[in-house]
Amino acid sequence: MKAVTTDFTRAIWESLGWEAFGVEDRIEIKAVTQDSREVKRGSAFFAYDGHNVKGKDFIWEAFDKHAIAVFVDREYKEEIFADSRYHPNLPIFFNPDFLRGAGRTIAFLFGEPSRFMSSIGVTGTNGKTTVAHSLYQALTHLHKPSMYIGTLGMEVSRHKSHTGMTTPDTVMLQSMLQQGHKQKALYACLETSSHGLAQGRLEGINFQIGIFTNLTQDHLDYHRNMDAYYRAKRRLFEYMLFSSRKQPESAKGAIICIDDEYGKKLYEWLKSQNPSFPVISLSQREKSADALVTDVEATFDGYSCVLLFAQKSYFIKTKLLGRFNLMNLSASYLALRCLGFGTEEALAAIHLVEPVPGRFEVLRGK
């Protein structure tokens, strides 16, 4: 359970799409949780559905523990009203778009920390950790206070903590972003997993940059098929479209690696939406790509390549091993450019990126 102190008024909850019962014009929320076991007096409980459970089944436990408010999907409204445990004085909020409403509300309760940072989302089967952490490193080298959240945990101002998952749940994620904001982070580099996207954990974050690395067969126990897996990944860019249509300057760019069929499909779909932000295709194979990785050379100390982009050539050299890491670092470089960094400073920062812990590290003998 995460502590907050927030005056939640009718004007606010109606603006976020909630229909309230058992509440008059305001409540004071002192803590936020998605786990009914953590509810205490003054807590707001968000009844998220799990993979095998329904959030609505846990609202009665939350009320028994004196929750100040319960937020639940409107799909369950009639069933809840018909339950013998229901009483008109119980403070229940319903929303027809629960995932979006819950995400935006939780963000609000934590002070909307992502409003004060440029958020960079990285999705794909492989490469998420390397791209997100490399960007975190590069921004730090550029003397920009930044944070990273992903498989390696959370890092902010060089302090690390363990999270146990690639994309934390919505409450934990907003709490982490709040911690980053308190430590003056200006950029948040986030791994956005398909599970996190499908479950709406990233709702409430306005992404300035979206990066897609690739899509290979994985997680089909959860997503059922490759098309559902792809649609979950696409949601990151749907977030960008949604926010940029409300605020045209909010999104700065999307970088899509098109060396697999799903990358090509995503690039073509996103371009067809006429976004207000640039969409850059990146490839090692497709000569028609907006950005092309070429002239690859390997040594014992790393790799180098030439990146052809916007009719210019950029030399990228790295300590990271593996040809695939040239794609990861090229995507990171293009993200820095979309964020407004100059050519030389962006390249210099990329050159300083160290191998990500546990990802193709070099172990040298004595």
Side-chain angles (χ1 to χ4, degrees):
M1 180 173 63
K2 304 299 180 181
V4 296
T5 302
T6 303
D7 195 28
F8 198 59
T9 65
R10 179 175 297 278
I12 293 168
W13 72 63
E14 288 182 350
S15 72
L16 293 167
W18 296 101
E19 182 184 17
F21 292 84
V23 184
E24 293 186 357
D25 291 322
R26 61 174 295 278
I27 55 173
E28 185 180 8
I29 295 173
K30 296 182 178 180
V32 187
T33 185
Q34 295 175 229
D35 187 338
S36 60
R37 296 168 297 183
E38 295 182 345
V39 172
K40 295 180 180 178
R41 190 178 297 274
S43 300
F45 171 60
F46 286 82
Y48 279 88
D49 288 344
H51 191 42
N52 296 310
V53 297
K54 299 296 184 183
K56 61 153 179 87
D57 295 333
F58 298 91
I59 68 171
W60 311 112
E61 179 185 359
F63 284 130
D64 287 343
K65 294 180 175 180
H66 307 288
I68 192 69
V70 161
F71 295 82
V72 66
D73 195 318
R74 195 173 73 180
E75 175 186 352
Y76 305 121
K77 180 178 175 180
E78 298 308 319
E79 182 179 348
I80 290 169
F81 284 175
D83 194 291
S84 61
R85 292 168 287 185
Y86 174 72
H87 187 279
N89 290 334
L90 292 176
I92 306 181
F93 293 80
F94 294 101
N95 198 310
D97 190 348
F98 177 77
L99 292 180
R100 175 163 289 168
R104 292 173 64 204
T105 303
I106 293 168
F108 169 79
L109 294 174
F110 280 101
E112 297 183 276
S114 69
R115 285 195 303 120
F116 306 98
M117 293 181 274
S118 292
S119 298
I120 303 159
V122 186
T123 198
T125 306
N126 304 303
K128 292 189 300 296
T129 302
T130 298
V131 174
H133 199 271
S134 294
L135 272 166
Y136 166 69
Q137 289 187 58
L139 288 162
T140 302
H141 288 307
L142 289 164
H143 308 292
K144 300 297 182 183
S146 302
M147 68 183 304
Y148 158 85
I149 300 174
T151 305
L152 303 177
M154 180 180 80
E155 291 187 39
V156 57
S157 301
R158 297 295 189 183
H159 297 291
K160 302 178 182 180
S161 60
H162 182 66
T163 62
M165 59 184 70
T166 299
T167 303
D169 67 44
T170 312
V171 171
M172 183 182 293
L173 183 56
Q174 290 295 336
S175 176
M176 289 176 171
L177 291 170
Q178 184 188 60
Q179 291 177 56
H181 173 54
K182 287 180 178 177
Q183 295 189 51
K184 311 299 183 184
L186 299 177
Y187 295 86
C189 305
L190 310 176
E191 293 185 51
T192 61
S193 68
S194 59
H195 291 70
L197 288 162
Q199 293 169 10
R201 299 180 206 166
L202 286 306
E203 292 281 2
I205 300 174
N206 291 330
F207 287 95
Q208 277 68 49
I209 301 290
I211 300 172
F212 173 88
T213 58
N214 52 59
L215 195 69
T216 59
Q217 189 162 315
D218 200 1
H219 302 305
L220 297 189
D221 57 328
Y222 180 84
H223 294 292
R224 300 185 310 281
N225 56 56
M226 287 296 289
D227 191 52
Y229 186 26
Y230 161 76
R231 288 198 305 274
K233 296 293 190 186
R234 195 177 82 174
R235 191 163 295 180
L236 171 62
F237 303 94
E238 293 171 352
Y239 290 159
M240 292 180 67
L241 287 170
F242 177 79
S243 60
S244 65
R245 283 168 181 162
K246 294 176 65 178
Q247 297 177 300
E249 299 301 316
S250 63
K252 302 298 183 184
I255 296 97
I256 313 292
C257 300
I258 61 167
D259 282 344
D260 63 58
E261 61 176 302
Y262 289 100
K264 293 174 184 173
K265 182 177 179 179
L266 177 61
Y267 175 75
E268 291 169 1
W269 170 80
L270 190 52
K271 291 285 283 187
S272 73
Q273 302 302 303
N274 297 315
S276 61
F277 51 87
V279 180
I280 302 168
S281 59
L282 172 64
S283 178
Q284 292 187 86
R285 306 170 190 164
E286 302 289 336
K287 295 188 184 301
S288 61
D290 302 315
L292 180 66
V293 173
T294 186
D295 296 327
V296 174
E297 291 190 8
T299 70
F300 287 112
D301 295 320
Y303 273 71
S304 67
C305 72
V306 173
L307 179 66
L308 304 178
F309 174 62
Q311 300 181 325
K312 292 184 179 180
S313 301
Y314 303 96
F315 181 70
I316 293 178
K317 182 173 173 55
T318 178
K319 301 173 187 176
L320 277 61
L321 299 179
R323 186 185 183 105
F324 56 88
N325 273 324
L326 292 172
M327 285 287 284
N328 292 333
L329 290 177
S330 294
S332 300
Y333 169 74
L334 292 168
L336 291 175
R337 292 297 305 277
C338 288
L339 287 168
F341 292 96
T343 300
E344 296 305 320
E345 60 180 348
L347 286 173
I350 291 296
H351 292 169
L352 292 171
V353 168
E354 296 286 340
V356 175
R359 301 296 194 277
F360 254 66
E361 290 183 273
V362 176
L363 302 178
R364 301 187 186 279
K366 293 183 178 179

